């Protein structure tokens, strides 16, 4: 457990265990106090899926249903994503699902409103949680990472990332040294990132059928890459 001399700039880093793989990471993340989001969230929502998966899908943060269940992508957006994976020929049971931020951030609940409304994480919260994502990447060691939306893309590739400029393209996953990819310090050059929209954007779209078809089309790029 981190001591009293922990620096605020360290974020989650002092809570990340040096060994033990994904199971150890999941246990340790349950007690993370690396940023203030833990104070209002029900629980940490860590990644789920095979400890060694060829495909990793990274979203923004857990939503209301994920926060209550303690599992990623179990709400409406998650169900839509799993449907899109099937349409694209990808097996959801062989994929690892996670988020850039592990706690649910929401607007204060007001009188007459029963549902907690999602709020986008700040840059500071994204940075604080990045050590968990880095550790998941090292532990799972996927061949392909799908960034679902701008927040996931920025966490993986930096603040200048834009989904509109990179969507559907296979990019080299070569972030800075603060986000190492595998057991070593550098990428082996084979790992790729594919950017697409977050499934919640499909749910908000005026033409949901067209938006869903676009998501499936992007995921088919992942399916062809993985063979």
């Amino acid at each position: 457990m981190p001591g009293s001399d922990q620096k605020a700039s360290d974020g989650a880093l002092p809570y990340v265990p040096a060994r033990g793989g994904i199971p150890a990471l999941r246990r340790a993340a349950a007690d993370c106090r690396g940023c203030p989001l833990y104070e209002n969230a029900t629980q940490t929502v860590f990644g789920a899926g095979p400890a060694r998966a060829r495909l990793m899908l990274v979203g923004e943060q857990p939503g209301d249903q994920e926060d209550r269940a303690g599992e990623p992508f179990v709400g409406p957006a998650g169900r839509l994503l799993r449907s899109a994976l099937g349409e694209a020929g990808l097996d959801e049971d062989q994929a690892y699902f996670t988020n850039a931020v592990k706690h649910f951030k929401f607007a204060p609940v007001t009188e007459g409103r029963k549902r907690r409304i999602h709020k986008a994480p700040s840059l500071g919260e994204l940075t604080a949680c990045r050590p968990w994502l880095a550790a998941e990447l090292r532990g799972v060691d996927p061949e392909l990472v799908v960034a679902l939306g701008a927040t996931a893309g920025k966490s993986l590739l930096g603040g200048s990332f834009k989904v509109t400029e990179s969507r559907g393209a296979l990019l080299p996953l070569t972030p800075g040294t603060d986000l190492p990819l595998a057991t070593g310090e550098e990428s082996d050059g084979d790992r790729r990132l594919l950017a697409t929209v977050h499934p919640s954007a499909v749910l908000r779209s005026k033409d949901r059928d067209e938006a869903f078809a676009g998501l499936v089309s992007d995921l088919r790029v992942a399916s062809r890459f993985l063979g």
Side-chain angles (χ1 to χ4, degrees):
M1 182 62 64
S4 59
D5 60 344
Q6 177 191 350
K7 296 181 294 183
S9 60
D10 288 341
L13 186 60
Y15 297 87
V16 179
R19 56 177 61 89
I22 294 298
L25 291 171
R26 183 175 290 110
R27 290 192 296 270
D31 295 320
C32 184
R33 304 293 184 265
C35 81
L37 290 183
Y38 80 91
E39 296 174 358
N40 295 318
T42 303
Q43 58 193 312
T44 303
V45 181
F46 203 70
R52 287 285 181 174
R54 298 179 66 200
L55 175 65
M56 176 185 283
L57 297 116
V58 182
E60 179 187 276
Q61 64 164 324
D64 181 78
Q65 292 189 32
E66 288 80 6
D67 174 69
R68 299 179 192 278
E71 293 288 335
F73 291 99
V74 296
R79 291 191 291 272
L80 186 143
L81 174 61
R82 293 170 193 276
S83 177
L85 289 169
E87 289 276 347
L90 292 164
D91 185 354
E92 66 173 89
D93 292 331
Q94 299 302 313
Y96 185 91
F97 296 82
T98 193
N99 285 292
V101 172
K102 311 303 187 194
H103 287 107
F104 179 37
K105 181 178 181 179
F106 54 93
V109 178
T110 58
E111 185 176 354
R113 191 179 71 193
K114 297 180 180 179
R115 190 166 63 93
R116 298 178 297 173
I117 304 299
H118 153 276
K119 285 185 67 176
S122 68
L123 177 60
E125 291 156 353
L126 196 64
T127 301
C129 210
R130 190 175 288 129
W132 290 119
L133 183 56
E136 286 177 294
L137 282 164
R138 290 194 301 270
V140 177
D141 197 16
E143 294 176 33
L144 177 65
V145 177
V146 175
L148 300 165
T151 299
K154 289 178 180 179
S155 182
L156 289 159
L157 293 181
S160 63
F161 174 85
K162 294 181 179 179
V163 173
T164 53
E165 296 178 357
S166 304
R167 181 175 179 179
L170 288 168
L171 307 174
L173 184 48
T174 54
T177 55
D178 62 327
L179 191 58
L181 300 175
T183 53
E185 287 295 320
E186 298 179 356
S187 168
D188 59 11
D190 294 331
R191 194 166 290 101
R192 294 289 183 268
L193 178 138
L194 175 73
T196 187
V197 296
H198 195 282
S200 62
V202 177
L203 293 174
R204 294 192 302 268
S205 176
K206 293 181 179 179
D207 190 337
R208 189 177 295 185
D209 289 342
E210 181 180 359
F212 180 77
L215 175 59
V216 171
S217 178
D218 292 340
L219 292 174
R220 283 182 176 141
V221 177
S223 182
R224 289 193 294 270
F225 175 80
L226 295 172

